[in-house]
Amino acid sequence: MQFEERKEAYARLIVKAGVHVRSGQTVYVTCPIEAYEFGRLVVKYAYEEGAERVEIEYNDEVTSRMTLDYAPLSVFETFPEWTALKLNTYAKTDVAFIHIAGSDPEIFKGVDMKKLSALQKVRHEALKEYYKLQSTMGFKWNIVAVPTRAWAVKVFPGENPDIAMTRLWNGIFGACRIGEGDAYEKWMAHADDLKGRCEKLTAWQFDSLHYTRASGSDFPVGLVYNHRWEVGADLDRTDGGRFFANMPTEEVFTMPDRRRAEGKLVAALPLSYRGTLIDKFWFVFHDGKVVDYGAEKGQEALKALLESDEGSTRLGECALVPYPSPVAEQNILFLETLFDENAACHFALGACYETNLVGGPDMTEEELLEHGANQSMNHVDFMVGTKDLKIVGTRENGETVTVFENGTWAF
Ligand code: ZN
Ligand code: ZN
């Protein structure tokens, strides 16, 4: 398959599997301004799949950076009502969301963290309905990424920018199973495999998981009672609309107990958080809470994350990703969570997914906390998976099952 054909196959996959556009539907796309050609391809295929109306919004991170640098703090303390009205309304009226990402992993390096925190806080508040529906599969949404120059040259430092772009495109195609054969069929088979893993894991109902590495590191984490393992692949909305929340997606994930994690956890990969790179970092947990931490790079950003609210110091997601996978096989450090989190086992600090708990979406905030479900305005994945990782699950009756061995499935 030629390079341009792969782009077309990718765009088609996004509308067909990503949000499963149905006839008569409205589709809302966001896209980096630099990738307008790819954005147009997505719009075209969405119409071809039967969309009634496709709206695309191009965003420019360079102007976002200028706003952060020049506008006063007060600007970030309010959220435009019309934007909230639009997104909340779309979420409630079955619009399919396609978010095309692609940014410089260090675009916001050095900006005033107070402005970013303020922005995130008002956004979280103003878009409450939108986020609630997003986390409970109330509408179809799909996040994918395309290369941008500023991103590509950071992934391949020293490389000619044009070649870096091509290499990043190829990495994305490989990670997303775009190549020989029908990508849609491959994705459906992949979703079935992941769902099978979830069923087994959910049936075991582990009380806790024990992470060990050859280095001797040891990390036990509790899982909430009545948890469910889930995938972001081929999700079913109540009305039958199917979608893939993320592409790529290699993970199965569940809900850790916010009160039970113990010991030191060392990150396996760097993390781009709010446009700042955090590298060589670690946390020490006690009773589920981060009580000590450090980073060789990006300590300030890490501090800002942990100090944003109580929930940011506790775990909200526990995800298993086998090695190898099409993402890991690219052997690229993407510096973009969408890809890197799908190359390695990870945890998230911050908000849980309520659907990971039986009855969770119908519980009040107090009930969720009581069940051990974490609440926060943040949800930040960080990678812990290595090739020597072993994970043993302990069931309520004390029986143990080896879930992971040498970084991959042991069942
Ligand atoms: Zn995850
Ligand atoms: Zn996550």
Side-chain angles (χ1 to χ4, degrees):
M1 208 188 261
Q2 296 297 312
F3 188 66
E4 291 304 318
E5 286 174 334
R6 282 177 198 232
K7 280 189 194 168
E8 286 167 21
Y10 185 41
R12 218 178 288 130
L13 179 74
I14 292 166
V15 296
K16 218 177 148 195
V19 291
H20 228 100
V21 172
R22 59 164 179 72
S23 167
Q25 190 157 36
T26 295
V27 180
Y28 174 64
V29 186
T30 60
C31 180
I33 191 164
E34 201 186 309
Y36 68 92
E37 284 173 310
F38 187 78
R40 288 174 186 166
L41 268 184
V42 170
V43 172
K44 181 180 121 183
Y45 289 125
Y47 277 123
E48 282 189 14
E49 282 296 311
E52 187 175 83
R53 190 171 77 86
V54 186
E55 178 182 341
I56 189 160
E57 196 171 299
Y58 291 105
N59 49 58
D60 177 13
E61 62 180 9
V62 177
T63 53
S64 301
R65 165 87 210 207
M66 287 183 212
T67 310
L68 280 157
D69 283 340
Y70 293 110
L73 178 62
S74 57
V75 165
F76 305 94
E77 288 169 337
T78 53
F79 194 83
E81 260 175 64
W82 54 93
T83 307
L85 182 65
K86 173 171 140 174
L87 293 177
N88 288 329
T89 306
Y90 279 7
K92 283 186 287 194
T93 51
D94 195 31
V95 170
F97 284 70
I98 296 173
H99 176 63
I100 304 171
S103 36
D104 176 351
E106 297 187 295
I107 184 67
F108 296 145
K109 186 182 176 183
V111 301
D112 185 351
M113 283 290 164
K114 270 195 240 107
K115 290 180 184 173
L116 274 176
S117 298
L119 178 64
Q120 193 184 8
K121 206 169 166 189
V122 291
R123 191 180 157 84
H124 191 80
E125 198 50 46
L127 300 182
K128 230 179 179 141
E129 285 177 288
Y130 166 87
Y131 285 124
K132 173 84 183 175
L133 285 165
Q134 183 184 38
S135 69
T136 53
M137 295 188 284
F139 58 89
K140 301 193 279 187
W141 53 280
N142 171 255
I143 303 175
V144 289
V146 291
T148 52
R149 282 173 104 78
W151 176 21
V153 297
K154 294 237 162 97
V155 176
F156 303 105
E159 186 67 278
N160 165 298
D162 289 332
I163 296 173
M165 282 291 284
T166 306
R167 288 183 68 185
L168 189 50
W169 266 118
N170 284 329
I172 291 173
F173 293 147
C176 293
R177 297 176 162 78
I178 305 288
E180 300 319 314
D182 186 317
Y184 180 81
E185 295 299 324
K186 283 191 265 183
W187 271 87
M188 289 305 170
H190 171 52
D192 284 343
D193 174 63
L194 289 176
K195 287 177 181 176
R197 304 263 174 211
C198 283
E199 273 171 34
K200 282 188 188 159
L201 287 163
T202 300
W204 275 318
Q205 277 300 312
F206 294 121
D207 172 64
S208 63
L209 293 178
H210 223 98
Y211 289 61
T212 53
R213 288 183 192 164
S215 62
S217 77
D218 184 14
F219 186 76
V221 58
L223 302 182
V224 298
Y225 180 73
N226 250 343
H227 62 267
R228 298 171 55 206
W229 286 86
E230 294 191 294
V231 289
D234 193 25
L235 296 161
D236 265 311
R237 266 185 41 129
T238 35
D239 69 356
R242 298 154 75 185
F243 68 100
F244 284 77
N246 289 350
M247 283 179 151
T249 188
E250 301 293 331
E251 63 175 314
V252 299
F253 59 95
T254 195
M255 192 188 289
D257 187 325
R258 58 191 286 280
R259 300 158 296 200
R260 292 192 290 143
E262 213 59 45
K264 189 171 180 177
L265 201 51
V266 180
L269 293 175
L271 169 70
S272 172
Y273 167 65
R274 287 185 187 168
T276 299
L277 220 50
I278 306 174
D279 198 9
K280 305 232 164 25
F281 61 103
W282 52 270
F283 304 104
V284 174
F285 287 84
H286 180 56
D287 288 339
K289 187 178 165 71
V290 174
V291 291
D292 197 10
Y293 64 94
E296 275 184 26
K297 198 180 166 189
Q299 174 89 7
E300 276 305 302
L302 194 57
K303 185 169 181 272
L305 162 65
L306 290 164
E307 288 178 356
S308 40
D309 59 14
E310 163 70 17
S312 298
T313 64
R314 296 177 184 272
L315 299 176
E317 178 197 349
C318 165
L320 304 180
V321 183
Y323 186 92
S325 72
V327 184
E329 274 163 21
Q330 303 310 310
N331 233 329
I332 296 172
L333 181 60
F334 285 94
L335 303 176
E336 158 62 68
T337 301
L338 177 63
F339 291 86
D340 295 332
E341 72 162 334
N342 280 300
C345 287
H346 57 270
F347 288 103
L349 284 172
C352 68
Y353 291 104
E354 292 161 11
T355 50
N356 278 148
L357 173 62
V358 176
D362 300 319
M363 288 181 191
T364 62
E365 278 181 26
E366 289 71 33
E367 286 170 325
L368 283 165
L369 285 172
E370 224 165 85
H371 280 80
N374 201 28
Q375 308 274 290
S376 169
M377 65 167 139
N378 284 306
H379 176 99
V380 180
D381 292 307
F382 62 97
M383 282 53 85
V384 299
T386 49
K387 286 181 205 172
D388 61 355
L389 180 65
K390 181 176 180 177
I391 304 172
V392 176
T394 304
R395 302 184 65 185
E396 201 81 22
N397 61 8
E399 184 194 334
T400 59
V401 180
T402 304
V403 178
F404 251 58
E405 186 93 70
N406 298 322
T408 193
W409 301 117
F411 68 92

